[in-house]
């Protein structure tokens, strides 16, 4: 099974010249200082042609990947050469000749690579970007709508969220409440009711969807990574806080086989993160497939949230020029679930884990944002 990689680009630095904050994606910092590209004509006496539209550097936008990865993730294609400039200008269909005349460098191989990567396609001789790129007005509008939907959802479901956190406490997993509410419920089980990766788009190396908003979300933006057979789950603000993917995959495999960690070398890698003790005993929740209060409440919340989301999703694709309704639902729900988390934290139903407050100082408490689920997250 492919590893779940959900990327939230939040590149954070300020660009004083245009007064906009840069952002990050999926916990990864993205390097990519943009240098304006010019296309020089053969005759030196002819002035250089510059691109008609100045493109804001990629790192100043907020790109989100909701993808299952088997090869390259979409971002890998975007960060190569001036591919972001090409994609941005292909929000409006253009031929290759038109792009070159606009001063945008674009070779046959670049266009082919972006097509193979599922980011552009060609219709009636013109190339067009296939991923949603929302401008400032569209981004503000989407977030305003999402916030109102989340507010309505929360008013109807708060009691169940409180009951769920109480149940998690009774299970002995109080410190893992935020991770379980977000990554198990909102960013896990919810997708089985809404849409799965393969239901949206399948491309070379990845399935799911990828989109770009004009500016970063100002509040917390949690993400989820799955390891092994998507049964070892990490909730993160910065995915680099955890051990390597290989170490986490090995950890998942050992738990699946033995219910603990037997490999001494692996134990030594996991102990500094508080994921196991010296005997290899697991120091985070293992969620079993069974009928109990935890599953009953999460199922009820999944039904309530998905029903209201679908009632508010019908015009989103048309309103924001998104190719299909499933992609529109994914984009809308991401914003909604982060606003739901805002509400839960503001009302102190959930509390921020120590490792999110200071990653280095509290590294040994990574076990507060990790859990293992029998059968995998998307069961």
């Amino acid at each position: 099974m492919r590893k779940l990689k959900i990327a939230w680009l939040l590149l954070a630095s300020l660009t004083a010249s245009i007064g906009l904050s840069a952002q990050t994606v999926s916990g990864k910092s993205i390097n990519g200082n943009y240098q304006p590209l010019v296309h020089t004509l053969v005759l030196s006496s002819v002035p250089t042609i510059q691109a008609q539209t100045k493109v804001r550097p990629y790192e100043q936008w907020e790109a989100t990947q909701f993808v299952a990865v088997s090869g390259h993730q979409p971002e890998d294609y975007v960060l190569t050469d001036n591919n972001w400039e090409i994609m941005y200008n292909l929000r409006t269909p253009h031929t290759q000749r038109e792009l070159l005349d606009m001063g945008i460098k674009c070779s046959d191989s670049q266009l082919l690579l972006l097509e193979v990567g599922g980011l552009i396609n060609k219709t009636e001789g013109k190339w067009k970007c296939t991923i949603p790129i929302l401008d400032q007005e569209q981004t503000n509008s989407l977030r305003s709508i999402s916030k109102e939907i989340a507010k309505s959802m929360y008013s109807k479901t708060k009691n169940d969220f409180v009951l769920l956190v109480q149940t998690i406490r009774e299970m002995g997993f109080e410190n893992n409440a935020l991770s379980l509410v977000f990554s198990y419920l909102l960013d896990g089980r919810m997708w089985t009711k809404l849409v799965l990766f393969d239901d949206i788009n399948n491309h070379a190396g990845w399935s799911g969807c990828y989109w770009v908003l004009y500016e970063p979300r100002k509040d917390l933006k949690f993400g989820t990574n799955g390891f092994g057979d998507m049964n070892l789950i990490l909730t993160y603000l910065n995915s680099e806080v955890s051990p390597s993917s290989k170490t986490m995959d090995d950890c998942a495999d050992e738990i699946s086989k033995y219910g603990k960690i037997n490999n001494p070398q692996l134990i030594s890698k996991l102990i500094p993160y508080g994921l196991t003790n010296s005997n290899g005993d697991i120091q985070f929740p293992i969620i079993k497939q069974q009928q109990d209060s935890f599953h009953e409440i999460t199922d009820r919340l999944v039904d309530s949230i998905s029903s209201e989301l679908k009632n508010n999703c019908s015009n989103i694709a048309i309103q924001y020029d998104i190719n299909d309704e499933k992609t529109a639902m994914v984009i809308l729900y991401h914003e909604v679930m982060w606003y739901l988390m805002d509400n839960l934290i503001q009302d102190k139903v959930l509390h921020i884990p120590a490792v999110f407050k200071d990653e280095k100082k509290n590294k040994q408490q990574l076990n507060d944002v990790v859990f293992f689920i029998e059968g995998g997250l998307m069961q």
Side-chain angles (χ1 to χ4, degrees), residues 34-48:
Y34 174 80
Q35 299 296 325
L37 296 169
V38 296
H39 179 68
T40 305
L41 297 182
V42 175
L43 298 177
S44 60
S45 60
V46 180
T48 298

Side-chain angles (χ1 to χ4, degrees), residues 37-205:
L37 296 169
V38 296
H39 179 68
T40 305
L41 297 182
V42 175
L43 298 177
S44 60
S45 60
V46 180
T48 298
I49 297 176
Q50 294 187 343
Q52 294 176 358
T53 303
K54 186 175 181 180
V55 180
R56 290 172 70 239
Y58 179 70
E59 64 267 20
Q60 291 176 15
W61 298 69
E62 180 175 88
T64 302
Q65 299 182 139
F66 178 69
V67 296
V69 178
S70 58
H72 286 289
Q73 58 188 349
E75 185 181 270
D76 295 338
Y77 299 96
V78 179
L79 295 174
T80 303
D81 301 320
N82 68 316
N83 287 349
W84 166 244
E85 183 189 30
I86 294 172
M87 287 173 51
Y88 180 84
N89 280 281
L90 287 179
R91 291 176 304 156
T92 301
H94 289 295
T95 65
Q96 183 181 17
R97 182 69 263 167
E98 287 171 339
L99 289 174
L100 292 169
D101 289 344
M102 293 165 60
I104 300 166
K105 170 191 166 187
C106 58
S107 65
D108 291 339
S109 59
Q110 281 180 288
L111 296 173
L112 177 60
L113 182 68
L114 289 171
E115 182 182 31
V116 169
L119 303 177
I120 65 173
N121 62 20
K122 193 174 187 179
T123 304
E124 297 180 354
K126 292 194 174 187
W127 294 100
K128 189 179 189 305
C129 181
T130 58
I131 68 162
I133 301 176
L134 274 60
D135 62 24
Q136 186 175 26
E137 182 179 348
Q138 290 173 316
T139 297
N140 291 339
S141 170
L142 174 69
R143 287 183 171 148
S144 178
I145 291 171
S146 302
K147 190 171 186 177
E148 288 304 310
I149 294 173
K151 182 179 179 181
S152 174
M153 282 181 182
Y154 184 61
S155 67
K156 298 171 184 176
T157 58
K158 180 180 177 180
N159 289 341
D160 272 341
F161 275 112
V162 171
L163 187 57
L164 177 60
V165 172
Q166 180 182 329
T167 301
I168 292 170
R169 187 181 303 116
E170 292 170 355
M171 293 164 66
F173 304 145
E174 181 175 3
N175 291 343
N176 297 83
L178 183 143
S179 180
L180 288 169
V181 168
F182 180 76
S183 290
Y184 178 81
L185 169 60
L186 296 180
D187 202 21
R189 298 296 300 153
M190 276 298 303
W191 294 115
T192 65
K193 194 76 171 183
L194 296 176
V195 60
L196 296 176
F197 304 112
D198 290 345
D199 295 333
I200 312 170
N201 292 306
N202 278 286
H203 303 292

Side-chain angles (χ1 to χ4, degrees), residues 302-322:
V302 165
D303 289 339
S304 298
I305 295 169
S306 61
S307 176
E308 183 149 0
L309 184 78
K310 290 174 181 178
N311 288 339
N312 286 277
C313 200
S314 57
N315 296 321
I316 295 298
I318 296 172
Q319 186 172 348
Y320 298 103
D321 192 26
I322 299 171

